[in-house]
Amino acid sequence: MRSKAVAAGLAELVLGACCPGCGAPGPGTCAECRRQLNGTPPFIVGNLAAGLPPVLAAGPYADRLRRVLLAAKERGGLGLIPLLGGRLAAALAALALESGRAGPLVLVPVPSTPAQVAARGVDLTGALAQVAARRLRAAGLTVSARRGLAQVRRPQDQAGLDRAQRLVNLAGAFRPIGNRVRGQVMVVDDIVTTGATLVEAVRACRAGGGEVLGAAVVAATLRTVGPGTAG
Ligand SMILES: [Zn+2]
């Protein structure tokens, strides 16, 4: 019994005990979760802060996608980056179709905070952008992913702030780095809630000379598809 428990614990350390999307036993995301996540068509996100260019999401922030994203963000699920980066690529492809522009495209991730990078062991948004750029290049587009924005100051925690407060909190938080945001830019992030972060990222990209075609995210919170308050 005891050795079995030890073996299970070791397996969990090595492989992860169960699918992060549904809890099914086995290493990594199960076939059913991958099928469902990859079978969700990207959509245009509504109910965001005013003045944003089109924002495309690969799926709603709920159920399997929410659990997989949380696992990637909070439990060091680096193995989930290929799957989530593939979903980001789907949203970006839809945005490219929506914009009618052929590129060359520049993917600019919303900058992660040093604390986020330290906690996750990776710049998640930057890593997702790199994976997405590879997928889009494989599909024939001319795409590069560049860390084009830096954080000027650290905004206060967004939790508990409504949309107007978030916009004020984030205004001027990012700046373009050198010439990295020139050309046809698509801003990328993992999750959109109110759009306040994207408003600031788009502003900073434009300040750097970029022509921002829109933004793409892995998931959009449910408040974006209906009436909502802070989120
Ligand atoms: Zn699953």
Side-chain angles (χ1 to χ4, degrees), residues 123-152:
D123 171 4
L124 181 67
T125 315
L128 293 176
Q130 293 290 347
V131 170
R134 280 198 293 277
R135 298 285 177 89
L136 293 171
R137 283 196 294 271
L141 287 174
T142 304
V143 186
S144 58
R146 288 182 210 158
R147 201 166 298 176
L149 298 179
Q151 236 178 15
V152 176

Side-chain angles (χ1 to χ4, degrees), residues 214-228:
V217 296
V218 177
T221 56
L222 295 179
R223 67 169 301 288
T224 63
V225 293

Side-chain angles (χ1 to χ4, degrees), residues 19 21-22 30 33:
C19 170
C22 69
C30 72
C33 281

Side-chain angles (χ1 to χ4, degrees), residues 8 19 46 55 76 98 101 111 115 117 123 132-133 137 157 159 165 169 202 216 226 231:
C19 170
V55 179
E98 170 80 14
R101 307 293 287 274
V117 175
D123 171 4
R137 283 196 294 271
D157 189 349
Q165 290 167 328
N169 183 40
V202 166

Side-chain angles (χ1 to χ4, degrees), residues 18-24 28-34 64 68:
C18 58
C19 170
C22 69
T29 43
C30 72
E32 176 61 14
C33 281
R34 287 197 301 276
R64 285 176 164 84
V68 172

Side-chain angles (χ1 to χ4, degrees), residues 48-53 167 174 194-204 206:
L48 294 177
L52 275 173
L167 286 168
F174 304 145
T194 65
T197 304
L198 293 178
V199 166
E200 172 57 14
V202 166
R203 183 205 62 77
R206 286 175 176 155

Side-chain angles (χ1 to χ4, degrees), residues 76-87:
L78 300 185
L80 301 171
I81 287 174
L83 173 67
L84 294 172
R87 298 308 300 147

Side-chain angles (χ1 to χ4, degrees), residues 11-228:
E12 180 170 357
L13 279 173
V14 174
L15 301 169
C18 58
C19 170
C22 69
T29 43
C30 72
E32 176 61 14
C33 281
R34 287 197 301 276
R35 189 186 68 76
Q36 290 217 10
L37 294 179
N38 290 326
T40 304
F43 56 91
I44 297 176
V45 184
N47 199 22
L48 294 177
L52 275 173
V55 179
L56 273 288
Y61 186 60
D63 306 326
R64 285 176 164 84
L65 183 55
R66 178 174 175 274
R67 289 191 290 267
V68 172
L69 261 170
L70 282 173
K73 291 177 72 155
E74 294 174 3
R75 299 205 299 275
L78 300 185
L80 301 171
I81 287 174
L83 173 67
L84 294 172
R87 298 308 300 147
L88 182 62
L92 286 160
L95 177 60
L97 287 170
E98 170 80 14
S99 73
R101 307 293 287 274
L105 301 172
V106 179
L107 310 186
V108 177
V110 167
S112 302
T113 66
Q116 287 170 334
V117 175
R120 297 169 186 167
V122 67
D123 171 4
L124 181 67
T125 315
L128 293 176
Q130 293 290 347
V131 170
R134 280 198 293 277
R135 298 285 177 89
L136 293 171
R137 283 196 294 271
L141 287 174
T142 304
V143 186
S144 58
R146 288 182 210 158
R147 201 166 298 176
L149 298 179
Q151 236 178 15
V152 176
R153 58 178 175 77
R154 190 174 173 181
Q156 83 179 84
D157 189 349
Q158 298 272 88
L161 301 185
D162 66 19
R163 177 187 290 176
Q165 290 167 328
R166 286 179 182 220
L167 286 168
V168 170
N169 183 40
L170 282 160
F174 304 145
R175 66 170 173 81
I177 302 172
N179 291 329
R180 293 196 199 176
V181 288
R182 297 286 164 82
Q184 295 176 14
V185 169
M186 293 178 171
V187 174
V188 305
D189 205 354
D190 51 357
I191 299 170
V192 65
T193 301
T194 65
T197 304
L198 293 178
V199 166
E200 172 57 14
V202 166
R203 183 205 62 77
C205 285
R206 286 175 176 155
E211 179 198 355
V212 182
L213 303 183
V217 296
V218 177
T221 56
L222 295 179
R223 67 169 301 288
T224 63
V225 293

